[in-house]
């Protein structure tokens, strides 16, 4: 909960904007870093979750590598001074020029998502006269038991190489002289809170790993992706992710050779709780059905998760202390009926001008913002500057 002192400082900024608690971010990064050291794991922060420059600077100070999913992300990470040898580049649709940039800047590996992609990278690398390290992102056909739109490891998802293509690729590999298969990559979904999903993933990975080693491939790197969920309902009670419990599942269940470095690509768990979206009440109304509605000046253009996934974020009226409570629906300004932040929840009475915060918005918030309805992209305010 933000203190009154902080809220008073925020009143000088034009709403809506993201507020980042950089102390909490640093604390989270320290926790993740210490857990990595304990287990001997390597973290590549998944910058798609939040590529805000100040956030990325904290990640860099923490000494993490980066997981990118577009050429522009690779360029941004390289220009920010991340070591290219610590950058992995995933995604089902890498463009030729993005591949060229990655090769020329010597990134650690391309996480390849199809046999065709490996063939094309081989062709491009041959043209550049360079041998390129690739990791194979394999589709393990696992249900991550999370929201359907953020599950990525089931057989029919667009992500990863199928077992069928994998066998064909291994037949072809001797002819692909410009790629070096040095690793495997998995990522089965996001906002996963059921650790048995990761246990199941380990079991599938163990089978695939053993089979691939049998094919004569030395696996230097095993990238288990991201996916660890956070508590959207109780952000103040659970501000830090349980990385120990998460890593423990892998430490107990993975059966791999000692030379293989285990990597992770957490995004949400690193940045979700350090960010909140600050907004102001514009209007109050009672709609035809009798529902009391508070219209705030934030919308799906700043935070699309509720509209896109029906995701729940805790919403708080920062000016509501001591007021009577009632049931409200909190909506944004955009011309879409899905543009809601809270539906029929209890809040202290809203008044025009009240400050409202939407919590746990640091991940997939600002990075998914759009200019729909010609809205401005949201600004950011940092706790260090208050
Ligand atoms: C390949 C890959 N790695 C890592 C992540 C980060 O996932 P999360 O934010 O759930 O940790 C994603 C997210 O979609 C991803 O696609």
């Amino acid at each position: 909960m933000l203190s009154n002192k902080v809220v008073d400082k925020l009143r000088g900024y034009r709403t809506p904007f993201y507020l980042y608690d950089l102390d909490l971010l640093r604390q989270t990064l320290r926790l993740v870093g210490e857990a990595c050291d304990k287990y001997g794991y390597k973290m590549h922060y998944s910058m798609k979750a939040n590529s805000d420059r100040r956030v990325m600077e904290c990640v860099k100070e923490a000494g993490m590598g980066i997981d990118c999913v577009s050429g522009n992300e690779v360029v941004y990470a390289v220009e920010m001074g991340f070591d290219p040898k610590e950058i992995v580049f995933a995604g089902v649709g890498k463009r030729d020029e993005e591949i060229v940039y990655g090769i020329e800047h010597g990134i650690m590996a391309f996480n390849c998502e199809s046999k065709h992609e490996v063939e094309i990278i081989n062709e491009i690398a041959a043209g550049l006269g360079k041998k390129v390290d690739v990791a194979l992102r394999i589709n393990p056909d696992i249900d991550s038991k999370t929201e359907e739109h953020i599950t990525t490891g089931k057989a029919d998802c667009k992500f990863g190489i199928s077992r069928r293509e994998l066998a064909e690729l291994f037949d072809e590999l001797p002819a692909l002289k410009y790629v070096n298969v040095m690793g495997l990559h998995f990522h089965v979904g996001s906002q996963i809170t059921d650790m048995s999903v990761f246990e199941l993933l380990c079991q599938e990975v163990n089978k695939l790993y053993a089979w691939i080693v049998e094919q004569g491939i030395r696996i230097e790197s095993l990238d288990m992706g991201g996916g660890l969920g956070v508590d959207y309902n109780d952000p103040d009670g659970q501000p830090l992710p349980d990385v120990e419990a998460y890593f423990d599942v892998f430490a107990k269940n993975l059966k791999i050779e000692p030379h293989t470095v285990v990597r992770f690509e957490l995004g949400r768990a690193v940045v979700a709780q350090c960010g909140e979206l600050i907004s102001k009440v514009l209007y109050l109304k009672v709609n035809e059905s009798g529902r009391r509605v508070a219209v705030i000046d934030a919308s799906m253009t700043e935070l699309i998760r509720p509209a896109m996934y029906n995701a729940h974020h805790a919403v708080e009226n920062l000016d509501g202390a001591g007021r009577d409570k009632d049931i409200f629906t909190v909506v944004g300004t955009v011309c879409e009926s899905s543009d809601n932040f809270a539906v029929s929840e209890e809040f202290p009475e809203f008044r025009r001008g009240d400050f409202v915060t939407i919590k746990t918005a640091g991940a997939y918030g600002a990075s998914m913002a759009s200019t729909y309805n010609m809205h401005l992209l949201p600004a950011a305010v940092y706790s260090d500057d208050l």
Side-chain angles (χ1 to χ4, degrees), residues 46 48 67 137 185 187 189-191 226-227 265-268 364:
S46 190
K48 68 175 77 65
D67 159 48
R137 177 172 180 180
H185 176 221
H187 173 74
S190 197
Q191 185 50 20
E265 303 171 340
L266 291 180
R268 187 186 307 273
Y364 307 104

Side-chain angles (χ1 to χ4, degrees), residues 26-256:
R26 290 187 194 104
Q27 200 186 339
T28 310
L29 288 164
R30 243 188 335 268
L31 185 83
V32 173
E34 283 165 8
C36 279
D37 290 346
K38 176 176 163 190
Y39 290 91
Y41 295 158
K42 178 80 204 159
M43 185 62 65
H44 297 255
Y45 166 63
S46 190
M47 68 178 281
K48 68 175 77 65
N50 191 317
S51 50
D52 177 276
R53 181 164 284 271
R54 296 278 293 272
V55 168
M56 293 282 286
E57 278 166 3
C58 292
V59 171
K60 189 160 161 260
E61 276 163 27
M64 288 180 184
I66 293 289
D67 159 48
C68 297
V69 80
S70 75
N72 281 347
E73 286 192 353
V74 179
V75 172
Y76 190 73
V78 168
E79 288 181 357
M80 275 201 72
F82 284 91
D83 181 356
K85 279 276 147 256
E86 299 291 341
I87 295 176
V88 291
F89 182 8
V92 291
K94 302 174 189 74
R95 293 181 172 83
D96 291 13
E97 65 271 22
E98 297 175 320
I99 294 168
V100 169
Y101 183 91
I103 295 175
E104 285 180 339
H105 287 79
I107 64 167
M108 184 191 131
F110 291 88
N111 288 341
C112 296
E113 306 231 7
S114 60
K115 177 168 80 69
H116 198 183
E117 183 189 332
V118 179
E119 291 162 355
I120 295 300
I121 290 179
N122 181 68
E123 227 175 272
I124 294 173
L128 295 170
K130 290 195 173 159
K131 189 156 183 163
V132 173
D133 283 343
V134 302
L136 305 178
R137 177 172 180 180
I138 301 173
N139 182 316
D141 191 16
I142 282 181
D143 183 355
S144 58
K145 300 182 198 161
T146 184
E147 149 66 26
E148 187 195 338
H149 295 96
I150 50 176
T151 191
T152 57
K154 289 209 284 201
D156 208 27
C157 290
K158 69 175 177 179
F159 301 100
I161 303 177
S162 61
R163 284 177 174 79
R164 174 195 325 207
E165 280 207 348
L166 196 61
E168 290 168 10
L169 175 62
F170 283 136
D171 289 343
E172 224 182 280
L173 264 190
L176 303 176
K177 304 276 184 224
Y178 289 88
V179 289
N180 172 41
V181 175
M182 47 66 81
L184 304 180
H185 176 221
F186 299 86
H187 173 74
V188 293
S190 197
Q191 185 50 20
I192 300 169
T193 50
D194 178 352
M195 293 299 124
S196 72
V197 171
F198 296 119
E199 211 175 305
L200 191 63
L201 172 63
C202 289
Q203 285 154 15
E204 283 308 305
V205 169
N206 289 341
K207 284 185 237 162
L208 281 157
Y209 183 99
W211 180 73
I212 291 167
V213 168
E214 268 173 37
Q215 311 302 302
I217 295 194
R218 182 178 160 92
I219 302 170
E220 304 288 351
S221 168
L222 177 62
D223 184 337
M224 301 300 291
L228 177 61
V230 297
D231 194 333
Y232 279 93
N233 296 319
D234 184 19
D236 292 330
Q238 303 291 333
L240 296 167
D242 195 354
V243 265
E244 281 265 351
Y246 173 66
F247 283 162
D248 204 47
V249 173
F250 296 92
K252 289 204 172 103
N253 292 284
L254 279 179
K255 292 189 173 48
I256 53 172

